[in-house]
Amino acid sequence: MISKNRWLGATAVVAMSTLAQPALAQVQSFNIPAQDVTGAVRLFARQGGVQILIAGSVGGGRRINAVSGKMPVDEALQRMLAHTGLAARSTGPGRYVIVSEERPAQTSQAEPDTVEVPADIVVTGFRASQREAVAEKRAADNVIETLHANDVGKLPDQNVAEAIKRLPGLSVANDQGEGRYAIVRGIDPSLLNVTLNGQTLPAPEPAGRQVKLDDLPSAMIQSVAVTKSLLASQDANAIAGEVAIRTRTGFDSVKPFFLDARAAQGWYSLNHKVPYELDATLGGRFGAREQFGAVVSVNYSERPIQSENYQGSTAFNAAGVPDGNGLREYNLTRKRLGVVGNFDWHASETVKLYLRSSYSKFEDHETRDQNRTAITSFGTTLKGTGTILVRRRNENDNTKSVTLGGEFGAVAGGTLEASGNWTRAEKKDPLRSEFTFTTAKGALTLNYDPSTYPYTLAPTTAAFANPSLFTYSKVNFDQRSTYEELWQGRFDYSHDLAIGDGSTLKLGGKYLSREKVNDQNKTNYKTGSAKWTLANPVGYPGDSDFYDGMFGFGTRINYDAAKAYFDANPNAVAIDKSGTISDTLANDFAVKEKIAAGYVMATLQFGGLTVVPGVRVEHTEDDVQAKLVNAASTLTDGYNSFGHTSYTDVFPGVNAKFALARNLLLRGAVTTSIGRPNYANLAPYVVVDTSDPAVAAISLGNPGLKPYRAVNYDAALEFYPAPGSILSAGFFHKQIDNPIYSNTSRRTNVTAANVTYATANVTSLLNADSEQVTGVEGNVQVQFTFLPGALSGFGVSANFTHVWGHANAGAIRAGDVPLAYQSKNVGNAQIFFEKYGLSARVAFNYRSSYLDTIATTAAADQYTDGNGQLDLHLSYQVTPQFTLFGDAINLTDAPWRRYIGTRNQLVERERYGTQLRGGVQIHF
């Protein structure tokens, strides 16, 4: 015998949040199709405004009855569970537990505070979150993938990008070994819409629309849903899909009050330094009727990261000899702070108000040391130049978001939700600076050895250990500031339709006003009248062990000493006026974008068939400003180049699903979407470089760029053999018009910045013809709860996506052009175990190579190579409130690698080592 509270804490929790203060006799509107117990309970809890537990695995393999119409909660529960062998027992106002009718349980408030624990009750965590995700996918009317925090409010990885890369069809673009941008089905992440609590998130970086998901600590997040086929109620700016992030509320927990906390410390194998992380979440419901909910969550982490980058070459001679190489070592400290404050007030049975607020801060302070050789002569003896560099980069990002909204029932017979949001993302780089010292041109004699991997190209003497050979060449000091500020409001209204089995009509609108501003101030210095070498108190011999001793790292530059010498010796440097003006003005721009949208859609249900037709209309206006750069420009120039564009688009679409059998669903969708150009591409900048008097070099922005427009086709067959299990196969195709490319061409009589040039190489942005993306997806997830004993704790999860596609871009080059970010193969495999308080997971993630830089010929295209990473997680629940855990991340030291044309032509290879992490978490 154990206490009731402890039994509830150890019970498999599958019920969802309370969305209204329950009044059990009050008539509610229900629309729940016949389905498995897990999915039905989730829908019932939301529609009825109650909390429900499922005792252990009693719901496994059972199917509930459809419930439709307006009726009291108790009556709806009775109808839903009739003849299923299950019953609902009340555990308090608005709270139920579903048990087997053959196993009575003492659950009413009048009974003693102890119950007999049914034998099939299991402690849940990772498996429960998987069950919840599968139930949500099954219940959805469109094609989605979901990821839920486990019962202690934690996602399985360190940031949101790392977590969602394990979903079918998803991969990530990395930075310093950590996932940063989500790539869905190989589509450019700038074409992916990211929302937080239903509101569009801004991008802190200057050039693109892609949202950095590594800014968001995973501990802040309750769930993530990735939409692959859009509904009319979702923003159309989502050719790649939508990532919807939701933070935790006080009504997401069964218990009225909860406290979750975690502390972790780690170890990096490369630098032997110790990262750490702390987070805590406190929340619950209060008030006489528990009508108020509040959650405050705080997360902080600090990671001292080292990576070793071998820099190859982007050019090779006819004999396959590279034109140089380099050794780059990164040492940085990456800090994250995340704060969430969510508040709810269920003022009545029909009025629910909420406030969602969040703050995330990301700091990345980095020093990069580099030794580099460049071949200047490919004769019998290789001659080259040596360069030593140090870069100091400080990056500070933060995103603030506040949303105020409410849900209102009984509005003209329907339900209205309205919300308003303010969000601001800022990126301030107070310092981006690099000192460069070089030898005389061709001063080094080099040996090339292709038998090593990576190849060896090194001086015949220890030249990089002799600082007197290296003379100051240049330095820059760069400060950047970017912000994106959004004001947005939306409303959604739904009403029952007297058609079929509980059909509904939904309509709504959204208005978004965006301001994006980028300001760069960069000062460049070249050599001065006085000679400055590394023999001055600037160079120093650092740790020479590189790539486990395979290469020797030579002299390094002490950045602080170099800066002090620079300040004290003005004759050693001279300002590069033209470069300073060009770099300072060329990247400045301001964009004001306004989007007004409206939609209408219907959810039509006829037995096992659900059809969701809809149409969305969006009107877009862009006003952009930039600066002209030519020989007459000065640092004080303001915005002097302007552009305006506006367009209206109609987005029809339909999603459908059909229950072929009890646990077998067929899905299909035809939808339309848009991808607006990146901000920097829209800026009407003009940059003219006349350093070559014969041929000017001109770079142009293009405010007249058309947006991407796409028609998307999706089909899937899904089989749900048991709760938490799924076998599915899917097909998708995207036809995308107006893709945007950069193109360089030789032109005559070109006028730029009010000056005409006889001959110029002009680099501009243009819309190409079209792109096509086609793929197939497979997904298997099984929890072996039907097996006896310890075997019932095992489960497997695997998914695989194969994609193919190309672009028709005759203005770039003839023939089929490969697509950027398009990994042909993406897959995940996991084996997990959860029983007797022990949880273990071995996970492998893989993606094949993808194009990252397109050239005029296929031989010059640059690719990010394939990557496979193996991770391990272990935890043990000492008590229901106390858990020990450990992680091993990147056990195989999988590198990040780039190549040009073919894999043997290495551009760079970066390694990060393995990270070990262990800690404790508490859950009350």
Side-chain angles (χ1 to χ4, degrees):
M1 304 286 285
I2 62 174
S3 73
K4 181 188 300 182
N5 288 339
R6 182 164 180 180
W7 176 69
L8 293 176
T11 301
V13 179
V14 189
M16 294 300 94
S17 61
T18 304
L19 295 182
Q21 180 61 30
L24 305 184
Q26 175 69 31
V27 172
Q28 304 281 348
S29 180
F30 292 94
N31 179 19
I32 302 173
Q35 58 186 289
D36 68 279
V37 173
T38 303
V41 163
R42 176 183 177 276
L43 287 178
F44 192 99
R46 287 191 172 181
Q47 294 179 14
V50 295
Q51 297 171 349
I52 310 178
L53 297 174
I54 298 179
S57 59
V58 299
R62 307 197 197 216
R63 190 170 175 82
I64 59 88
N65 309 299
V67 178
S68 180
K70 296 183 177 180
M71 64 194 77
V73 170
D74 287 334
E75 180 183 342
L77 263 177
Q78 185 177 1
R79 289 189 185 186
M80 188 176 78
L81 300 177
H83 310 298
T84 63
L86 300 175
R89 307 286 188 243
S90 174
T91 62
R95 301 189 191 118
Y96 297 86
V97 61
I98 294 179
V99 298
S100 170
E101 287 184 325
E102 291 79 24
R103 185 185 290 112
Q106 293 176 305
T107 56
S108 71
Q109 287 183 302
E111 292 168 339
D113 193 32
T114 60
V115 296
E116 188 72 24
V117 179
D120 57 1
I121 287 180
V122 294
V123 176
T124 64
F126 180 62
R127 288 199 302 175
S129 64
Q130 281 194 328
R131 285 194 176 194
E132 171 63 12
V134 169
E136 186 166 345
K137 177 179 176 66
R138 180 173 183 171
D141 293 325
N142 55 338
V143 181
I144 68 169
E145 310 293 344
T146 63
L147 182 70
H148 283 253
N150 65 26
D151 56 356
V152 233
K154 301 292 179 288
L155 291 178
D157 294 279
Q158 297 181 81
N159 69 49
V160 174
E162 289 289 306
I164 65 175
K165 76 178 183 181
R166 306 192 188 280
L167 296 173
L170 271 78
S171 59
V172 293
N174 288 342
D175 179 74
Q176 294 297 336
E178 296 182 346
R180 170 158 288 184
Y181 305 115
I183 303 173
V184 181
R185 292 173 165 176
I187 305 296
D188 188 328
S190 66
L191 301 177
L192 177 70
N193 189 41
V194 180
T195 67
L196 179 65
N197 295 318
Q199 305 291 343
T200 300
L201 269 180
E205 295 185 317
R209 295 178 183 266
Q210 62 267 31
V211 175
K212 288 176 58 182
L213 294 180
D214 62 338
D215 281 8
L216 300 171
S218 65
M220 291 173 56
I221 309 306
Q222 176 67 17
S223 66
V224 184
V226 179
T227 297
K228 295 178 177 178
S229 70
L230 296 175
L231 298 172
S233 56
Q234 295 175 285
D235 289 356
N237 188 47
I239 290 178
E242 179 185 271
V243 172
I245 302 166
R246 189 173 71 85
T247 54
R248 196 173 184 183
T249 75
F251 292 92
D252 283 328
S253 174
V254 175
K255 296 180 293 184
F257 293 99
F258 54 87
L259 169 64
D260 299 327
R262 179 176 60 171
Q265 194 171 62
W267 177 81
Y268 286 111
S269 65
L270 208 57
N271 61 6
H272 301 169
K273 291 187 177 180
V274 177
Y276 69 92
E277 182 173 2
L278 301 167
D279 64 70
T281 301
L282 176 66
R285 300 177 299 280
F286 55 95
R289 296 174 291 113
E290 293 188 5
Q291 69 271 35
F292 298 104
V295 168
V296 176
S297 179
V298 180
N299 172 274
Y300 179 80
S301 67
E302 186 170 317
R303 299 175 189 169
I305 300 172
Q306 179 183 356
S307 63
E308 295 178 337
N309 180 291
Y310 181 92
Q311 185 181 13
S313 173
T314 57
F316 298 79
N317 72 0
V321 178
D323 67 355
N325 78 329
L327 308 179
R328 294 191 288 199
E329 183 178 280
Y330 296 81
N331 287 279
L332 59 137
T333 299
R334 184 165 284 179
K335 300 178 183 179
R336 291 182 178 88
L337 171 66
V339 181
V340 168
N342 289 340
F343 307 94
D344 295 81
W345 177 30
H346 292 178
S348 69
E349 297 163 7
T350 58
V351 177
K352 293 164 271 182
L353 305 177
Y354 58 84
L355 175 69
R356 305 282 181 260
S357 64
S358 64
Y359 174 79
S360 60
K361 183 179 180 180
F362 175 92
E363 293 185 359
D364 195 357
H365 295 179
E366 172 190 280
T367 298
R368 183 184 74 181
D369 294 293
Q370 183 175 5
N371 289 173
R372 190 168 68 201
T373 60
I375 295 178
T376 56
S377 174
F378 285 92
T380 304
T381 301
L382 295 177
K383 292 291 186 177
T385 302
T387 306
I388 297 177
L389 310 93
V390 63
R391 185 180 74 178
R392 179 70 57 84
R393 179 179 62 82
N394 295 334
E395 174 185 341
N396 302 314
D397 302 349
N398 71 81
T399 300
K400 301 175 280 288
S401 180
V402 179
T403 300
L404 179 64
E407 299 176 29
F408 309 92
V411 176
T415 300
L416 173 69
E417 181 175 359
S419 60
N421 168 268
W422 170 82
T423 303
R424 183 182 173 98
E426 295 178 323
K427 176 182 174 64
K428 293 185 181 296
D429 297 346
L431 178 65
R432 297 174 69 93
S433 175
E434 186 167 56
F435 281 93
T436 303
F437 288 75
T438 64
T439 67
K441 184 177 180 179
L444 306 182
T445 300
L446 304 172
N447 280 335
Y448 171 59
D449 183 0
S451 66
T452 64
Y453 183 77
Y455 63 82
T456 299
L457 181 66
T460 55
T461 61
F464 281 99
N466 185 356
S468 63
L469 295 178
F470 293 84
T471 303
Y472 163 79
S473 173
K474 59 183 177 179
V475 65
N476 62 72
F477 299 98
D478 188 4
Q479 297 85 38
R480 306 182 188 183
S481 176
T482 300
Y483 73 84
E484 182 174 339
E485 187 172 52
L486 302 181
W487 291 91
Q488 52 193 317
R490 65 177 300 163
F491 77 92
D492 302 271
Y493 178 77
S494 60
H495 196 289
D496 292 341
L497 289 177
I499 302 174
D501 305 315
S503 300
T504 60
L505 176 70
K506 188 175 183 180
L507 56 88
K510 178 177 179 178
Y511 181 78
L512 183 148
S513 177
R514 168 187 281 117
E515 183 176 28
K516 181 82 170 188
V517 175
N518 183 58
D519 179 46
Q520 181 171 348
N521 294 285
K522 185 176 182 181
T523 306
N524 300 312
Y525 293 89
K526 53 189 177 182
T527 56
S529 58
K531 186 177 181 180
W532 177 13
T533 73
L534 277 181
N536 289 310
V538 171
Y540 73 100
D543 182 5
S544 63
D545 184 13
F546 194 83
Y547 263 64
D548 295 328
M550 183 176 176
F551 303 102
F553 207 106
T555 302
R556 300 171 187 239
I557 303 170
N558 183 315
Y559 180 88
D560 293 327
K563 181 61 167 60
Y565 187 92
F566 170 90
D567 292 336
N569 296 273
N571 292 334
V573 300
I575 192 168
D576 176 3
K577 182 178 178 181
S578 63
T580 295
I581 291 174
S582 177
D583 289 342
T584 296
L585 302 182
N587 295 300
D588 291 356
F589 66 83
V591 177
K592 290 187 177 181
E593 186 172 77
K594 299 176 182 178
I595 302 169
Y599 75 91
V600 61
M601 57 183 278
T603 303
L604 307 175
Q605 297 184 347
F606 306 95
L609 174 65
T610 301
V611 182
V612 187
V615 63
R616 186 179 185 90
V617 179
E618 293 191 354
H619 176 72
T620 306
E621 290 192 20
D622 284 313
D623 288 287
V624 292
Q625 304 176 82
K627 298 178 180 179
L628 306 177
V629 183
N630 57 27
S633 298
T634 68
L635 289 175
T636 59
D637 286 355
Y639 292 120
N640 50 18
S641 182
F642 306 91
H644 173 82
T645 186
S646 65
Y647 47 89
T648 301
D649 291 278
V650 179
F651 303 100
V654 61
N655 284 264
K657 68 176 180 179
F658 181 65
L660 296 172
R662 175 181 174 185
N663 294 319
L664 186 64
L665 289 180
L666 176 65
R667 295 185 187 272
V670 181
T671 59
T672 51
S673 53
I674 193 173
R676 296 183 176 89
N678 285 330
Y679 311 113
N681 295 347
L682 287 172
Y685 62 84
V686 178
V687 180
V688 180
D689 180 0
T690 56
S691 56
D692 181 351
V695 182
I698 301 175
S699 296
L700 305 173
N702 188 355
L705 284 170
K706 298 177 183 178
Y708 298 74
R709 291 184 173 92
V711 180
N712 316 287
Y713 304 88
D714 289 270
L717 186 66
E718 301 168 359
F719 177 56
Y720 299 88
S725 297
I726 180 175
L727 289 84
S728 68
F731 168 84
F732 62 88
H733 175 75
K734 294 179 181 291
Q735 182 67 41
I736 305 171
D737 293 331
N738 307 324
I740 297 170
Y741 287 85
S742 176
N743 180 58
T744 300
S745 60
R746 178 70 63 89
R747 304 182 193 177
T748 58
N749 297 321
V750 179
T751 300
N754 302 316
V755 178
T756 300
Y757 301 89
T759 306
N761 289 326
V762 180
T763 300
S764 59
L765 297 152
L766 54 84
N767 289 108
D769 301 324
S770 64
E771 294 178 346
Q772 299 180 32
V773 180
T774 307
V776 292
E777 295 176 333
N779 184 25
V780 177
Q781 183 173 296
V782 180
Q783 299 180 0
F784 300 122
T785 54
F786 52 86
L787 293 177
L791 295 177
S792 65
F794 281 98
V796 296
S797 175
N799 58 70
F800 178 76
T801 302
H802 178 64
V803 182
W804 60 97
H806 67 273
N808 300 311
I812 307 301
R813 70 184 194 214
D816 294 343
V817 178
L819 302 181
Y821 298 101
Q822 192 63 255
S823 292
K824 289 186 176 180
N825 299 302
V826 175
N828 291 277
Q830 297 185 70
I831 300 174
F832 56 89
F833 176 85
E834 191 165 357
K835 200 173 181 68
Y836 312 125
L838 177 65
S839 178
R841 179 180 66 130
V842 179
F844 181 74
N845 172 264
Y846 172 78
R847 59 150 180 79
S848 61
S849 60
Y850 63 78
L851 175 74
D852 61 47
T853 305
I854 191 170
T856 54
T857 65
D861 287 345
Q862 295 184 32
Y863 288 83
T864 295
D865 206 353
N867 180 276
Q869 181 171 314
L870 182 66
D871 303 321
L872 172 67
H873 171 80
L874 292 170
S875 68
Y876 181 69
Q877 191 178 51
V878 181
T879 70
Q881 296 80 30
F882 182 76
T883 300
L884 300 173
F885 68 90
D887 296 301
I889 301 166
N890 194 20
L891 278 167
T892 56
D893 191 12
W896 177 76
R897 185 181 183 276
R898 297 178 65 241
Y899 61 89
I900 181 170
T902 60
R903 283 188 172 84
N904 63 320
Q905 296 189 142
L906 180 68
V907 173
E908 59 182 318
R909 184 183 189 274
E910 188 165 291
R911 62 186 293 254
Y912 312 99
T914 297
Q915 179 189 169
L916 303 179
R917 186 176 65 148
V920 298
Q921 59 187 42
I922 60 173
H923 176 54
F924 292 99

